[in-house]
Amino acid sequence: RDRGGRDHGEVKVVGGSGDWRRDLKDFIEKNGLDERTREALKQLDKPKVIEVMGIDGGRNTFILENVRNPDAVVMSRIKRVTSS
């Protein structure tokens, strides 16, 4: 466990269908993400994808409403989770 109490062996999922790969497909489709963003998501491991999609109980949301550029939002999330 880290200092935040997270056990890195198991990923906490509070939303989604229970199948993170299906959730990823839905996330891409519902937010209209482009090829570059889709490929960047597919390069991430499961815990990072779950965090980016916002189904880990964190601050991110699954549906990107009222954003001008969903791809930019997702790429920013990817950058944040890969730099930590």
Side-chain angles (χ1 to χ4, degrees):
R1 291 186 185 266
D2 66 12
R3 285 187 266 163
R6 287 188 181 166
D7 181 352
H8 292 283
E10 189 61 38
V11 179
K12 177 182 175 188
V13 179
V14 296
S17 68
D19 177 349
W20 70 276
R21 288 182 179 88
R22 183 178 340 140
D23 292 336
L24 177 57
K25 185 177 181 181
D26 288 346
F27 181 74
I28 289 167
E29 290 175 6
K30 290 180 180 181
N31 292 300
L33 301 177
D34 67 19
E35 184 66 27
R36 178 176 161 254
T37 306
R38 290 192 301 259
E39 288 305 313
L41 282 165
K42 291 175 183 177
Q43 298 302 311
L44 300 176
D45 60 16
K46 178 182 175 181
K48 288 183 171 89
V49 169
I50 287 171
E51 184 176 348
V52 168
M53 290 191 298
I55 59 174
D56 65 339
R59 67 182 182 176
N60 292 335
T61 58
F62 189 82
I63 302 295
L64 302 173
E65 295 177 328
N66 302 317
V67 298
R68 191 177 318 193
N69 186 340
D71 292 293
V73 172
V74 173
M75 291 303 286
S76 174
R77 290 178 180 184
I78 290 170
K79 184 176 181 180
R80 186 174 63 243
V81 300
T82 57
S83 67
S84 59

